[in-house]
Amino acid sequence: MRAGRLTGRHPAVLGDEEPRPGDDSGPRKRARWFTRRPATAALITALTVGVVVMVTPAEGAAGDFASSFARAMRNLVSTSRNGQAFAGTPAVGALFTTSAGKLGRHFCTASVVNSPAGDLVITAAHCVSGTSGVVFVPGYDRGAAPYGVWAVTKIYTDRSWQASSDPDDDVAFLQVSQHGSIVPVEDVTGAEQLATGTAARQLVEAIGYPDATGEPIACRNWTREPMSDQLEFDCGGYTDGTSGGPFLADVNSQTAQGTVIGVIGGYEQGGLTPQVSYSPMFGANIAALYRLAVAGG
């Protein structure tokens, strides 16, 4: 268990009634959610080919962060046994508590996912159960918050998670916003895509923020299905604080963006040892929860 790794299928938020998933959303039918084209992804691509544009400091830093992630991945062999520290990537960040308007304790990891309103973040449900005053800091690196601090304004979890902490539903979508701004987080950081119904065996990069350090780690390895509806990812270094970190497939080396097929959580709330991490498999339940979050946005 990690809360950092912290101490059915009916999506719910604040007592809302559950939606009915469509008949085409079975747990093994692959679905990708391409509803919004991130503006920052195009900006990052422009920067990498040398186009000079006027951007805000946060946007201007995006290319550097993407390059940092790409370098970290190139330094790994096709698979790796231990996570490697790097300077971060724009769409993945750390969750913090707050106190008197200041960052408090880091406790989990989350990532921006593509959505029509551009305001959704995905993490593990066990990270945000019973919490309040949580903020998301994308691209966090050793005290720096290059893309700002984003308040969590709404939390979406499945009713079966709320009722029994079902590990197959250990996923949460967070709606985030920034005080005094109407610009959505996706327009600042870009976003990962979301896929459901994918194959169990995938080559992924897992990103997480260990509590003991102020910077993220990344590792590349294959996932497998050790038990029904759960993924396993083997790589050392994924200690407390990495819960909610994404399993990213098909990562673009230029933009550092990929497709989220899992988040650290699920069985044993993500795993009892730093060398083995788990995630719920994303099926019809996660697709329905995503649709609920989109509708609520």
Side-chain angles (χ1 to χ4, degrees):
M1 181 175 71
R2 310 173 191 169
R5 291 180 174 195
L6 198 79
T7 178
R9 311 267 194 253
H10 305 292
V13 56
L14 302 179
D16 291 345
E17 292 302 314
E18 65 186 88
R20 294 182 62 86
D23 293 337
D24 61 347
S25 58
R28 290 297 178 267
K29 181 166 182 178
R30 182 180 178 91
R32 284 179 180 264
W33 306 92
F34 293 100
T35 50
R36 174 190 175 93
R37 185 177 181 85
T40 306
L43 171 64
I44 295 172
T45 301
L47 290 174
T48 60
V49 296
V51 176
V52 178
V53 291
M54 295 299 292
V55 295
T56 66
E59 290 171 323
D64 293 337
F65 274 68
S67 296
S68 168
F69 181 73
R71 286 195 300 272
M73 289 300 100
R74 281 196 296 269
N75 288 336
L76 297 174
V77 293
S78 59
T79 60
S80 180
R81 297 181 63 180
N82 290 289
Q84 176 178 309
F86 72 112
T89 188
V92 181
L95 294 177
F96 284 84
T97 60
T98 55
S99 177
K102 296 182 179 180
L103 292 183
R105 178 178 60 89
H106 158 248
F107 62 95
C108 272
T109 304
S111 53
V112 182
V113 288
N114 182 259
S115 66
D119 60 355
L120 293 183
V121 171
I122 190 170
T123 189
H126 75 262
C127 286
V128 290
S129 296
T131 62
S132 61
V134 174
V135 296
F136 172 62
V137 186
Y140 181 79
D141 180 35
R142 291 168 291 184
Y147 304 100
V149 176
W150 299 77
V152 175
T153 58
K154 192 174 289 188
I155 297 172
Y156 299 86
T157 59
D158 195 282
R159 287 192 190 277
S160 66
W161 171 262
Q162 296 172 22
S164 62
S165 298
D166 186 339
D168 293 346
D169 294 289
D170 190 5
V171 175
F173 290 97
L174 315 179
Q175 187 182 68
V176 300
S177 66
Q178 211 168 33
H179 180 71
S181 174
I182 62 171
V183 178
V185 66
E186 187 172 332
D187 283 358
V188 177
T189 65
E192 317 295 353
Q193 301 301 322
L194 177 70
T196 59
T198 61
R201 182 170 169 79
Q202 302 255 3
L203 183 63
V204 302
E205 279 98 38
I207 301 175
Y209 280 83
D211 280 346
T213 67
E215 59 187 346
I217 61 172
C219 185
R220 176 183 290 155
N221 210 341
W222 291 91
T223 57
R224 66 187 188 93
E225 186 177 6
M227 65 199 79
S228 179
D229 295 325
Q230 293 287 313
L231 295 176
E232 179 180 324
F233 175 85
D234 297 342
C235 188
Y238 288 79
T239 57
D240 287 359
T242 60
S243 274
F247 290 177
L248 295 175
D250 305 322
V251 176
N252 184 302
S253 62
Q254 298 300 312
T255 66
Q257 293 166 357
T259 299
V260 182
I261 67 160
V263 295
I264 296 176
Y267 180 63
E268 296 176 341
Q269 295 193 355
L272 297 180
T273 68
Q275 293 78 29
V276 180
S277 298
Y278 297 98
S279 167
M281 293 192 72
F282 285 6
N285 53 332
I286 307 306
L289 185 62
Y290 173 80
R291 289 195 295 270
L292 177 67
V294 166

